[in-house]
Amino acid sequence: MKKYTCTVCQWVYDPEIGDPEQGIEPGTPFESLPEDWVCPLCGVGKDEFEVTEE
């Protein structure tokens, strides 16, 4: 699964980890995050994330 990086603060969403603080289970792909999910660091929406090149 692809990782996504916030273009504002550079926080990385790793689907293998999820976002437990916001109730997102490990193994949740970025595309499956709720539309109202926001970056846990800076609070921007999913539209401010880009695929991380590895």
Side-chain angles (χ1 to χ4, degrees):
M1 286 187 277
K2 296 177 184 173
K3 295 178 183 178
Y4 284 75
T5 301
C6 178
T7 60
V8 175
C9 72
Q10 306 308 305
W11 183 81
V12 177
Y13 176 77
D14 183 344
E16 292 183 16
I17 298 170
D19 183 8
E21 291 182 10
Q22 295 193 70
I24 306 299
E25 295 291 322
T28 303
F30 186 82
E31 296 82 2
S32 297
L33 293 174
E35 287 304 312
D36 62 351
W37 179 86
V38 295
C39 176
L41 271 190
C42 68
V44 298
K46 289 173 64 176
D47 58 334
E48 297 293 333
F49 280 74
E50 294 180 343
V51 175
T52 301
E53 299 298 326
E54 296 190 30

